[in-house]
Amino acid sequence: MKELNKEEFKSEVEDYVKVLFRKSIKEADDQQIFQAVAYAVKDFIVDQWMATHRTYEEKDVKTVYYLSMEFLMGRALGNIIINLKGNQAIKEAIEELGLNLDVIEDQEPDAALGNGGLGRLAACFLDSLSTLGYAAYGCGIRYKYGMFKQVIENGYQIEKPDDWLKYGNPFEIKRPEYAVEVKFGGYVSIKKDEETGRNKFVQENYQSVLAVPYDLPVVGYNNNVVNTLRIWDAEAIDTFNLDSFDKGDYQKAVEQQNLARTICEVLYPNDNHMAGKELRLKQQYFFVSASVQRAVMKYMEKHDDIRKIHEKVCFQLNDTHPTVAVAELMRILVDEYNIEWDEAWHITNKTCAYTNHTIMSEALEKWPLELFSRLLPRIYQIIEEINRRFVLDIQRAYPDDYGKVERMAIIYDGQVKMAHLAIAAGFSVNGVARLHTEILKNQELKDFYQMMPEKFNNKTNGITQRRFLLHGNPLLADFVTKKIGDDWITDLKHIDELSVYTDDEMSRKEFMNIKYQNKVRLAKYIKEHNGIEVNPRSIFDVQVKRLHEYKRQLLNILHVMYLYNELKKNPDKEFYPRTFIFGAKASAGYHRAKSIIKLINSVADVVNNDKSIDGKIKVVFIENYRVSNAEIIFAAADVSEQISTASKEASGTGNMKFMLNGAVTLGTMDGANVEIVEEVGKENAFIFGLSSDEVIAYEHNGQYNPRDIYNTDGDIRAVLTQLVDGTYSSNLDEFRDIYNSLLDGQGGRPDMYFILKDFRSYAEAQERVSAAYADTAKWAKMAMLNTAKCGKFSSDRTIEEYAQEIWHLEKVKVEVTTED
Ligand code: NBG
């Protein structure tokens, strides 16, 4: 590993401030200093970046292309410094320049090119791929505006554009030499190929854009490996200057300019929900076509037989969003390389693999035929042919069961079903936690599992301990290293060695003192950002994640309302002070989610200002929850709220970040919670609620009626009534929709999220939390065991499984030579 030279680094920073801004360090503002430091860091890693790619080429290693609409990277600078093990040297250098690294890091906008878990998982995976030394590209879109900034005004969420590129991104490198053309619309005609004499399909009268890649470095931990996150931007193809300029072309040129302008404009802010917008499908094909075209070109630069591309290339489809990759690869093989259909299909099968991230029906992508065939006429033809053959396969396998075709066809009911295409075309289909994969196999994708069981496998999600402990929680990271050495940084299994210290009182005290320091840090953040005073001695009970009904922030806040009523009824009741902390963005068009945010803020207003409860309950809604403040929040949590309706949360990854930081899970047996409890022991978690089997059974038999609970449970009825009687809003209709959703549900189905059903069980689990926390030694041990037992949940473990079992990659060692 190359050493970082402090003096050199200092003079680089001074040079960059001068070259970029014509200023001295003293004159430059914080943002300019950040830029200069970032450039100096980039200078340092660029040799490793080049050496990495030189090594990949020399060794001719297989590469995984992780195709994803979302990469929720967060800030780069701090993470890169940590992975370079340059923390000490750079910190010192910066101090000697009279600057402060924390202030500098705070100038960087989050790269928020994603919504939630799915996008952050992609970012953790890239970190692990580099640290493990696997050849990989992340392929995505360079959205001009990332995830919106959330501002809370009068308790309501307001969305503000996230202009993250305003000052430029010092880490990116534009690579116009790798630009490719991507075509939309027009029609397909059949022409005779002069060379082969065969019929060829050509797309005509189309509009096209130029896809231009920007590369971002993904630095591995202390190993010289720098992989690439390649995000594509769209530029207009310069048709104004073509010779054939006439009136018609002028129109077309303007249209193409517009297409280029709009395609990468903004990230759709929907999490686990498909909006079905035409522009979204354009985005999908845009980045997929560009990525696949480039991967094929790159492969063919060094190889002569396209038929063997699967030996060197694997496309991993991050959910169904990039599934058109399958058809795009078929198009390239059949139309451009003249490969026969069957052979092209086999090559495609061996090159593509699909990860499913949800069973939520509203998230499943289905595109109307009309839209799809108009926008992507040749791709549509190819999918039609894939479907025709797939339906024949189904009929051959199940000659007497027409229901199979109805349930499994790729094109049916006027729609293209992207999940079906991904499963039919890929060699691997994986879920993201054991329970989720079982539900896929036995419920949602049962027919596919029966027909192709060999494709199905599980890859339980993970998170990178380097960002979420080493960077986010330096006090705890130092403590762990002091106790057990630093192997955990690249091999999290070692953290189990901490277990023996859970019986040592001194260690427990130290551990809890660190938690306290982190709570003070968060309390300060809350005071600065929310103006709310919170007591760092209270229990920090935290639910941070996207706002979605299935995640049940509503259950949490209804329980706060209930607790508040209890306290008002019995002011002298023994009660351990609690701070309920929420952070969540709601998709801009998701009205009920937005009213739940308003409800949380309204409850906060009432409860926080009621002197009679003596500050025993505080409610805080942290504005603009994102990767950078998440790091501070996880470090400070005592209780991790993972309370989704069982069966609905495919995995969750926040749950793992809390665990790593020594928070205890309060959750349902859903997603990866099941495996968390398995690792830490059920005595070290608080589990409640319906099981996934019970939820699924209710869904089938329709036997759940929330009104029975409303009619028989006075406390619940009181809380519900307060939603509409003015207790929390002078506008009695403000929360009417929430009230109705709890009692009557939607579309004739009672509350699909079983909130009232799980309420008592949740309240009872919360009582156990309070009792356990009051026993300081017991709690310290539980909390510490959570950190100690989270070894399984490193994304290094997850990526190792993908690499061995799906991608079949080999590990690479990179040396930086004088050549670089
Ligand atoms: C999300 C799931 C989470 C899971 C992440 C990462 C989508 C479609 N799915 O439970 O809801 O942790 O994916 O796998 O965003």
Side-chain angles (χ1 to χ4, degrees):
M1 179 76 185
K2 194 174 139 188
E3 285 289 318
L4 211 142
N5 180 309
K6 205 167 75 180
E7 291 309 318
E8 257 174 45
F9 186 79
K10 274 160 63 179
S11 67
E12 287 231 352
V13 174
E14 283 169 326
D15 287 351
Y16 272 115
V17 179
K18 225 193 278 176
V19 174
L20 292 169
F21 307 111
R22 212 214 61 179
K23 279 188 178 166
S24 71
I25 297 240
K26 282 210 170 52
E27 293 163 335
D29 65 22
D30 289 343
Q31 175 61 220
Q32 292 169 332
I33 297 283
F34 158 69
Q35 296 271 339
V37 171
Y39 273 105
V41 167
K42 184 185 186 184
D43 243 13
F44 182 75
I45 58 179
V46 83
D47 292 337
Q48 300 174 35
W49 205 355
M50 288 163 71
T52 301
H53 284 268
R54 180 174 43 74
T55 312
Y56 290 164
E57 277 179 22
E58 278 167 14
K59 303 214 163 138
D60 191 23
V61 288
K62 186 172 181 186
T63 303
V64 63
Y65 291 83
Y66 197 81
L67 304 183
S68 179
M69 290 290 276
E70 305 190 12
F71 288 93
L72 193 40
M73 302 297 284
R75 290 173 175 159
L77 180 62
N79 203 242
I80 293 178
I81 293 176
I82 276 224
N83 281 5
L84 290 175
K85 272 192 116 176
N87 221 18
Q88 210 41 45
I90 291 186
K91 221 185 178 131
E92 279 171 25
I94 285 186
E95 274 162 19
E96 286 168 25
L97 290 170
L99 303 165
N100 176 331
L101 186 56
D102 290 337
V103 175
I104 295 173
E105 282 187 30
D106 266 344
Q107 303 310 310
E108 183 178 357
D110 279 42
L113 309 183
N115 275 284
L118 175 140
R120 182 56 228 177
L121 183 75
C124 285
F125 278 6
L126 294 184
D127 183 83
S128 288
L129 279 159
S130 292
T131 295
L132 293 168
Y134 289 119
Y137 275 92
C139 303
I141 296 175
R142 185 174 178 270
Y143 300 106
K144 179 152 185 249
Y145 297 101
M147 188 60 208
F148 64 77
K149 272 195 191 143
Q150 179 191 55
V151 176
I152 302 294
E153 275 174 23
N154 300 322
Y156 296 102
Q157 166 179 295
I158 309 287
E159 302 88 25
K160 297 268 156 84
D162 165 39
D163 195 1
W164 72 295
L165 293 168
K166 184 159 76 189
Y167 299 109
N169 181 354
F171 293 109
E172 72 183 7
I173 299 184
K174 183 175 181 178
R175 313 297 299 273
E177 66 273 34
Y178 298 133
V180 294
E181 185 181 5
V182 178
K183 300 174 182 174
F184 295 94
Y187 46 82
V188 180
S189 55
I190 302 179
K191 298 244 161 90
K192 203 159 223 74
D193 189 65
E194 299 292 316
E195 253 173 65
T196 61
R198 299 191 331 180
N199 282 339
K200 259 186 113 70
F201 295 89
V202 270
Q203 192 172 347
E204 291 188 302
N205 200 28
Y206 52 83
Q207 290 183 358
S208 61
V209 297
L210 197 63
V212 184
Y214 287 71
D215 287 354
L216 294 167
V218 182
V219 177
Y221 185 80
N222 194 29
N223 66 353
N224 290 326
V225 176
V226 181
N227 279 319
T228 303
L229 169 57
R230 174 161 284 179
I231 47 179
W232 297 90
D233 191 17
E235 288 182 15
I237 292 191
D238 196 3
T239 43
F240 279 116
N241 295 327
L242 293 184
D243 295 340
S244 65
F245 192 86
D246 64 20
K247 204 166 168 240
D249 281 337
Y250 179 80
Q251 276 310 326
K252 188 172 159 182
V254 173
E255 280 165 17
Q256 292 196 150
Q257 296 261 353
N258 278 332
L259 182 63
R261 240 193 306 278
T262 53
I263 242 173
C264 299
E265 191 72 1
V266 65
L267 165 79
Y268 279 95
N270 301 320
D271 188 81
N272 262 297
H273 184 86
M274 190 223 177
K277 292 276 192 284
E278 177 163 345
L279 182 60
R280 167 81 173 191
L281 184 58
K282 284 185 191 163
Q283 292 183 334
Q284 295 185 347
Y285 183 66
F286 166 75
F287 96 94
V288 163
S289 172
S291 304
V292 174
Q293 286 188 57
R294 257 320 296 167
V296 170
M297 281 180 214
K298 188 173 164 77
Y299 169 80
M300 289 306 284
E301 280 164 12
K302 291 272 172 346
H303 305 87
D304 48 19
D305 189 357
I306 187 73
R307 290 172 176 78
K308 291 189 182 155
I309 189 169
H310 61 275
E311 291 177 3
K312 298 295 173 189
V313 170
C314 184
F315 296 114
Q316 185 68 38
L317 313 180
N318 195 26
D319 217 343
T320 53
H321 319 150
T323 301
V324 282
V326 165
E328 177 67 0
L329 184 56
M330 284 297 286
R331 181 190 70 74
I332 294 172
L333 295 171
V334 172
D335 293 357
E336 293 180 12
Y337 285 88
N338 296 313
I339 302 208
E340 293 293 337
W341 184 278
D342 282 322
E343 197 174 12
W345 182 240
H346 285 130
I347 297 167
T348 301
N349 292 165
K350 286 184 279 188
T351 314
C352 299
Y354 157 61
T355 305
N356 174 290
H357 291 269
T358 186
I359 64 160
M360 303 277 296
S361 55
E362 67 262 41
L364 293 183
E365 290 192 298
K366 299 171 189 156
W367 293 103
L369 289 194
E370 176 281 317
L371 162 62
F372 203 103
S373 55
R374 172 164 53 77
L375 197 64
L376 307 172
R378 179 59 186 144
I379 293 297
Y380 178 70
Q381 277 186 339
I382 289 170
I383 294 176
E384 251 188 348
E385 181 61 13
I386 294 174
N387 179 58
R388 191 184 65 79
R389 289 165 183 248
F390 184 55
V391 167
L392 288 176
D393 288 346
I394 300 169
Q395 285 167 337
R396 252 192 303 274
Y398 308 98
D400 304 318
D401 189 348
Y402 187 72
K404 289 277 184 187
V405 170
E406 195 177 319
R407 294 193 298 273
M408 297 173 76
I410 296 163
I411 302 179
Y412 204 85
D413 262 351
Q415 293 174 316
V416 187
K417 302 185 174 181
M418 302 311 272
H420 298 190
L421 175 59
I423 299 167
F427 65 89
S428 165
V429 177
N430 77 280
V432 290
R434 194 205 303 137
L435 175 69
H436 169 59
T437 301
E438 289 307 306
I439 294 174
L440 290 179
K441 293 198 296 195
N442 304 321
Q443 315 271 345
E444 300 301 308
L445 301 177
K446 192 160 131 204
D447 294 309
F448 292 92
Y449 177 58
Q450 270 173 15
M451 187 169 157
M452 305 168 271
E454 69 291 346
K455 290 189 181 185
F456 284 74
N457 64 94
N458 176 246
K459 296 285 168 284
T460 297
N461 282 167
I463 55 159
T464 167
Q465 66 269 30
R466 289 166 293 279
R467 181 177 290 266
F468 291 105
L469 186 55
L470 192 56
H471 185 260
N473 193 346
L475 296 177
L476 185 56
D478 286 347
F479 170 83
V480 176
T481 299
K482 198 179 74 197
K483 294 287 184 208
I484 66 167
D486 66 2
D487 288 345
W488 63 272
I489 297 173
T490 49
D491 187 359
L492 196 61
K493 282 194 310 297
H494 285 281
I495 207 159
D496 196 5
E497 292 158 27
L498 214 58
S499 301
V500 293
Y501 294 100
T502 60
D503 288 322
D504 169 44
E505 199 187 326
M506 275 305 291
S507 304
R508 283 200 308 258
K509 283 208 167 122
E510 227 181 309
F511 185 88
M512 289 313 284
N513 184 43
I514 290 168
K515 182 60 80 181
Y516 179 74
Q517 302 298 322
N518 285 323
K519 287 162 81 171
V520 170
R521 178 173 70 158
L522 180 59
K524 188 165 163 259
Y525 180 94
I526 290 171
K527 178 80 196 160
E528 275 167 21
H529 292 80
N530 294 59
I532 299 174
E533 199 87 50
V534 300
N535 172 10
R537 300 267 172 219
S538 66
I539 304 174
F540 277 21
D541 178 322
V542 189
Q543 186 171 22
V544 285
K545 48 182 80 248
R546 284 301 291 261
L547 212 138
H548 206 297
E549 285 167 276
Y550 84 81
K551 296 178 187 283
R552 299 201 294 193
Q553 284 92 352
L554 183 54
L555 174 59
N556 188 343
I557 197 66
L558 291 175
H559 174 257
V560 174
M561 290 160 65
Y562 157 80
L563 271 189
Y564 177 58
N565 290 346
E566 292 296 294
L567 265 186
K568 297 285 278 184
K569 272 192 274 180
N570 314 298
D572 300 326
K573 191 177 149 161
E574 244 196 65
F575 187 88
Y576 208 104
R578 276 260 197 147
T579 303
F580 292 94
I581 298 170
F582 294 83
K585 290 181 184 177
S587 168
Y590 190 172
H591 299 293
R592 188 167 298 154
K594 289 175 123 178
S595 42
I596 293 169
I597 291 178
K598 171 66 178 164
L599 176 62
I600 294 169
N601 285 312
S602 299
V603 173
D605 259 357
V606 172
V607 173
N608 297 345
N609 296 311
D610 184 342
K611 298 261 174 345
S612 78
I613 62 162
D614 209 15
K616 283 184 186 140
I617 302 177
K618 283 275 166 84
V619 180
V620 177
F621 188 94
I622 294 181
E623 196 174 66
N624 203 27
Y625 173 60
R626 61 195 186 282
V627 177
S628 55
N629 60 16
E631 293 179 33
I632 301 169
I633 296 169
F634 292 124
D638 295 307
V639 178
S640 157
E641 297 260 3
Q642 307 302 333
I643 61 177
S644 53
T645 310
S647 80
K648 305 283 185 226
E649 189 70 275
S651 163
T653 43
N655 46 5
M656 302 168 187
K657 296 164 197 168
F658 280 108
M659 183 190 193
L660 176 66
N661 282 277
V664 183
T665 304
L666 164 58
T668 49
M669 277 299 204
D670 199 15
N673 297 354
V674 175
E675 290 161 77
I676 287 179
V677 172
E678 188 172 285
E679 293 297 306
V680 78
K682 59 179 180 320
E683 65 288 2
N684 296 308
F686 299 92
I687 298 304
F688 73 94
L690 295 175
S691 68
S692 61
D693 285 342
E694 288 169 324
V695 168
I696 291 165
Y698 274 121
E699 284 172 351
H700 288 149
N701 69 26
Q703 298 279 304
Y704 169 51
N705 185 358
R707 287 207 176 257
D708 295 341
I709 298 171
Y710 177 86
N711 289 330
T712 52
D713 188 322
D715 295 334
I716 291 182
R717 194 163 57 248
V719 167
L720 258 61
T721 304
Q722 288 170 338
L723 288 173
V724 290
D725 73 356
T727 307
Y728 293 105
S729 172
S730 52
N731 172 2
L732 301 192
D733 286 331
E734 184 85 80
F735 304 121
R736 176 84 54 187
D737 169 69
I738 295 178
Y739 177 88
N740 290 342
S741 79
L742 288 164
L743 289 175
D744 302 326
Q746 255 180 341
R749 291 181 63 183
D751 173 31
M752 293 150 69
Y753 305 105
F754 299 90
I755 289 186
L756 300 193
K757 185 79 191 162
D758 273 348
F759 186 91
R760 278 291 165 190
S761 160
Y762 177 61
E764 181 268 334
Q766 281 284 25
E767 274 177 38
R768 285 187 278 139
V769 169
S770 292
Y773 197 88
D775 183 343
T776 315
K778 179 180 168 187
W779 185 273
K781 184 168 175 173
M782 280 174 92
M784 214 168 148
L785 272 172
N786 269 275
T787 300
K789 297 295 180 186
C790 76
K792 174 176 177 184
F793 303 106
S794 169
S795 46
D796 298 342
R797 187 267 313 147
T798 314
I799 284 299
E800 205 62 91
E801 290 176 8
Y802 275 92
Q804 300 308 318
E805 296 161 22
I806 301 179
W807 303 330
H808 304 291
L809 304 181
E810 57 177 295
K811 260 187 197 157
V812 179
K813 275 209 158 29
V814 174
E815 310 287 348
V816 182
T817 62
T818 42
E819 245 180 83
D820 298 298

